[in-house]
Amino acid sequence: MAEAAVIRLDNVRKVYSSGEIECEALRGVSLTIDEGEYVAVVGPSGSGKSTLMNILGCLDVATEGRYEIAGEDVSQMDEVDLAEVRGRRIGFVFQQFNLLPAMSAWRNVELPLSYAGVGPAERKRRAVAALESVGLGEKLGNRPGQLSGGQQQRVAIARALVTEPTLLLADEPTGNLDSASAREILDVFDQVHRSGRTVVLITHDWDVARRTDRSIEVRDGMILERPQAPASQADES
Amino acid sequence: MSWGETIRTGLAAIRSHAMRSVLTIVGILIGIAAVILTVGLGLGTQKDVSESISSLGSNLLIVRPGSVTSSEGIRGGFGSSTSLTLDDAAALGSAVAAPDIADVAAEASTSVSLENGDTNWTTTVTGTTTSWPQVRSRTLLQGEFFSDDDAEAGANVIVLGSETAAELFGSAWAAGRSLTIDSVTYEVIGVLAEQGSSDDTNLDDLAVVPMATYSAQISTSTTGASVQTIYIQATAQDTLSAAYQEAETLLLNLHGITDASAADFSISSQDALVSTATAVYRTLTVLLVGIAAIALLVGGIGVMNIMLVSVTERTREIGLRKALGAKPFAIRRQFLVEATTLGLVGGVLGVGLGVTLALALPTVLGSSIVVSWPAVFGALAVAVGIGVVFGVYPATRAAKLAPVDALRAE
């Protein structure tokens, strides 16, 4: 079991300090996520879940504590090595899609591969395959502006998956979508999970969290021992 | 990510920010074109002036008669005496007595009316020696200057300035025609090439005849052998002062004067004029280079601002690229390619515009513009350098940020 851990956080603390004021966003979080798990990190805004997501995604570094991705300690790495880990291990899906507006869908999708040093022909093949897997095989040449919100988020998911990362990390992926598009996107995540990939969704929405296998509730910078989901959903899960 | 990839990415980024890219390019373009034109105008003016100074005759000394002191003790102005003679001129021309003097031309002149049938034109007629074109740096447009034989014989031949020829003969070929002065007929054997004006003297409105002809038929002076000016050409610019010494010693001897301060002649050179003019135009060039530097600085600050704003706006993009696995190095290289491309495109267009205007404007303005290649490359280097520094430096800083901070930036 220990060998199969994709993520292992050990007593991680994160303190933001601006001048005199110190703000402890995470106060000793320990967490293990195994390979193939489908996990939701739930919490209201200000709970520290975004900070947790940034640290899980190596977008930010912990003030204290140890963080391992697939057995590799990343808590002491510099920006160059962290960039390497992000490119190799992690696929991001953001709330605001974060696509480059001037590039076509497949160009956006191949971007992480170009930073990983994959050759152009191989990149295009894999980018096209990734877009087909999220149902956008017809929209390869479209720019983000020519796509609907749901379609843009699917391009972003294709971009996150194209590097075949150890972990797919999604931060409020449905936050900018209408409910129909949101359901479609969550279906895509279910499908990604079924294909065996580790998926972590960060959300404030229990309806979203409910679809996953395991919900981790964050409150006041700590993980609650027992998730306090609203009664109806708690019964279902 | 290879260089080829980086260049492709950089060019795509430039295309996707078309407006900003165009503004940057225009900023650099105008700065460089302004530098080329201002420096070129300065150098062109300098060249025009030094040419018109040297058109007066190079390495030239000018000997004029001194003043006459009347019996009442009133000194007249310089040039009022008739102390210089053709013999003086001949002595100065001797290679033995004055080895540093290359050539001598004596001049005596008066204002006379020239007639061609019904047309008449009053101009200065100068009697001189055959060395005149050489000493005064004049060339002939038509025909030729009078020969030694003409000079010796006092032949009735005349050489006209281009304007004088035009006044008398219109646009027709003047050489070979004839004109009359006081009912005496002269053959026009040559027309001088245009020279332009110097100070208040029109160098194209004049007529030249052999000295013997002048003294015999035209001069109104009673002392036929006196001349008004002797032009001395030194063998080189370096020997001008030696030539000055020789001329002074020789003339003092010939005139039997022991005290140089009592000399009945004065020798002036154009050296002082040339050096004053050179100093003035050096100052002018410094001024223009200063203006050019300010133009470049203003253009550079414009480029700097666009670059800073551009990179700041793109901090999110940098954060995203880093989240997707871009190393700081790859980000730096992309922005280096972008800034260099903008700088070079703007620079090359600026050089093109500047050089084109430098070639086209003189025909409109009538003043020459000299393209100074050091200024061109200096301006290019500064503009591209500013673009690169202010394009790459903020990008490098942004690339060092944790991606979360870059992504959060607005």
Side-chain angles (χ1 to χ4, degrees):
Chain A
M1 194 70 174
E3 277 74 29
V6 168
I7 281 177
R8 186 192 296 278
L9 285 181
D10 188 15
N11 202 23
V12 165
R13 293 176 71 242
K14 178 69 184 178
V15 179
Y16 293 106
S17 54
S18 61
E20 299 281 297
I21 304 152
E22 286 204 341
C23 170
E24 200 169 9
L26 292 180
R27 336 169 165 222
V29 171
S30 297
L31 174 65
T32 304
I33 296 173
D34 293 326
E35 193 172 343
E37 269 200 278
Y38 191 12
V39 180
V41 174
V42 205
S45 62
S47 61
K49 68 179 192 303
S50 293
T51 307
L52 183 59
M53 133 96 188
N54 290 334
I55 287 174
L56 287 179
C58 299
L59 296 177
D60 206 350
V61 288
T63 313
E64 252 177 57
R66 185 179 168 86
Y67 175 29
E68 286 176 14
I69 300 178
E72 196 176 1
D73 182 7
V74 299
S75 35
Q76 302 301 324
M77 281 185 177
D78 63 13
E79 258 307 305
V80 177
D81 292 333
L82 283 176
E84 168 87 26
V85 168
R86 286 193 292 265
R88 192 156 41 89
R89 294 285 186 198
I90 302 164
F92 290 99
V93 177
F94 300 95
Q95 182 175 0
Q96 305 90 339
F97 321 139
N98 279 342
L99 299 173
L100 293 180
M103 292 196 203
S104 63
W106 78 267
R107 286 282 189 197
N108 265 289
V109 173
E110 70 151 15
L111 198 58
L113 291 178
S114 74
Y115 288 119
V118 179
E122 169 78 359
R123 282 207 305 262
K124 178 151 195 185
R125 193 186 62 70
R126 283 169 66 175
V128 170
L131 280 166
E132 280 167 350
S133 78
V134 296
L136 283 179
E138 311 284 297
K139 306 278 187 185
L140 298 176
N142 289 48
R143 293 190 175 193
Q146 300 163 323
L147 298 171
S148 71
Q151 288 171 328
Q152 289 189 48
Q153 194 60 302
R154 278 195 265 168
V155 174
I157 294 172
R159 182 179 63 188
L161 292 174
V162 76
T163 53
E164 295 175 356
T166 316
L167 171 68
L168 181 67
L169 197 55
D171 181 17
E172 301 278 8
T174 58
N176 277 9
L177 299 175
D178 59 69
S179 53
S181 304
R183 268 195 305 279
E184 277 175 36
I185 291 301
L186 291 172
D187 289 343
V188 174
F189 281 115
D190 291 350
Q191 180 197 322
V192 171
H193 162 61
R194 277 197 300 278
S195 72
R197 207 167 296 288
T198 314
V199 178
V200 176
L201 294 182
I202 281 86
T203 182
H204 68 280
D205 185 351
W206 277 101
D207 285 339
V208 172
R210 203 182 45 163
R211 296 179 66 129
T212 64
D213 299 336
R214 175 182 164 203
S215 297
I216 297 167
E217 189 173 0
V218 181
R219 185 136 327 158
D220 299 327
M222 289 190 287
I223 290 178
L224 296 188
E225 290 302 325
R226 208 170 284 135
Q228 299 175 343
S232 61
Q233 282 103 12
D235 291 344
E236 276 182 49
S237 65
Chain B
M1 210 178 191
S2 70
W3 271 108
E5 290 284 326
T6 314
I7 288 169
R8 198 184 58 77
T9 310
L11 295 184
I14 288 173
R15 272 199 304 276
S16 66
H17 303 104
M19 186 63 185
R20 205 155 52 203
S21 305
V22 167
L23 285 178
T24 312
I25 288 171
V26 167
I28 294 175
L29 186 154
I30 289 175
I32 288 181
V35 171
I36 292 174
L37 287 179
T38 45
V39 173
L41 217 59
L43 291 175
T45 313
Q46 199 171 26
K47 181 173 141 257
D48 285 352
V49 166
S50 78
E51 261 171 17
S52 67
I53 286 172
S54 69
S55 76
L56 300 172
S58 51
N59 314 335
L60 212 55
L61 294 172
I62 302 160
V63 189
R64 289 207 167 84
S67 54
V68 232
T69 307
S70 70
S71 50
E72 289 88 22
I74 300 164
R75 253 170 99 89
F78 268 108
S80 56
S81 86
T82 54
S83 55
L84 289 178
T85 63
L86 277 173
D87 292 339
D88 290 339
L92 288 167
S94 147
V96 182
D100 293 311
I101 292 174
D103 237 326
V104 174
E107 277 187 13
S109 55
T110 186
S111 192
V112 165
S113 179
L114 311 182
E115 285 164 38
N116 169 35
D118 293 338
T119 316
N120 67 69
W121 182 250
T122 303
T123 190
T124 310
V125 175
T126 302
T128 187
T129 48
T130 52
S131 55
W132 189 85
Q134 156 72 19
V135 175
R136 299 298 307 271
S137 312
R138 300 300 296 260
T139 51
L140 276 92
L141 191 65
Q142 301 173 13
E144 50 196 15
F145 205 70
F146 52 77
S147 62
D148 287 334
D149 290 344
D150 290 332
E152 215 155 298
N156 286 355
V157 291
I158 193 164
V159 175
L160 301 177
S162 56
E163 246 182 80
T164 320
E167 289 294 344
L168 286 166
F169 299 102
S171 53
W173 188 259
R177 306 280 291 268
S178 57
L179 55 78
T180 56
I181 301 172
D182 284 340
S183 310
V184 181
T185 305
Y186 294 82
E187 189 197 347
V188 179
I189 57 166
V191 175
L192 296 165
E194 258 181 66
Q195 185 86 338
S197 301
S198 119
D199 301 330
D200 51 350
T201 318
N202 186 340
L203 295 170
D204 293 320
D205 182 15
L206 54 84
V208 188
V209 297
M211 185 56 92
T213 316
Y214 178 84
S215 1
Q217 297 174 43
I218 296 169
S219 173
T220 51
S221 159
T222 45
T223 50
S226 82
V227 297
Q228 286 152 3
T229 315
I230 299 175
Y231 289 93
I232 297 173
Q233 190 182 33
T235 49
Q237 190 87 48
D238 302 341
T239 56
L240 197 64
S241 62
Y244 183 99
Q245 296 295 331
E246 288 161 16
E248 187 176 40
T249 313
L250 203 59
L251 288 174
L252 287 172
N253 271 338
L254 285 170
H255 296 188
I257 301 166
T258 48
D259 180 9
S261 63
D264 57 356
F265 59 88
S266 73
I267 305 176
S268 62
S269 81
Q270 295 187 334
D271 233 21
L273 180 63
V274 170
S275 64
T276 307
T278 308
V280 167
Y281 289 99
R282 193 171 296 142
T283 313
L284 188 69
T285 308
V286 169
L287 173 81
L288 285 165
V289 167
I291 292 171
I294 291 169
L296 199 57
L297 187 72
V298 171
I301 287 172
V303 170
M304 180 186 88
N305 286 343
I306 295 174
M307 283 294 186
L308 286 176
V309 168
S310 154
V311 175
T312 311
E313 273 181 16
R314 291 170 64 190
T315 304
R316 266 181 85 89
E317 177 191 330
I318 292 174
L320 173 68
R321 286 177 184 275
K322 289 195 69 188
L324 299 180
K327 298 187 174 131
F329 163 71
I331 303 281
R332 270 203 307 276
R333 203 159 66 170
Q334 179 194 333
F335 277 84
L336 177 68
V337 167
E338 287 185 31
T340 311
T341 307
L342 290 179
L344 283 180
V345 170
V348 167
L349 290 178
V351 169
L353 179 69
V355 171
T356 308
L357 286 179
L359 296 178
L361 281 182
T363 58
V364 184
L365 297 178
S367 78
S368 25
I369 298 178
V370 177
V371 176
S372 156
W373 291 108
V376 169
F377 289 112
L380 200 58
V382 170
V384 174
I386 288 174
V388 168
V389 167
F390 292 100
V392 173
Y393 166 71
T396 304
R397 274 189 21 180
K400 276 191 200 138
L401 288 176
V404 62
D405 297 323
L407 277 169
R408 212 182 276 140
E410 282 309 317

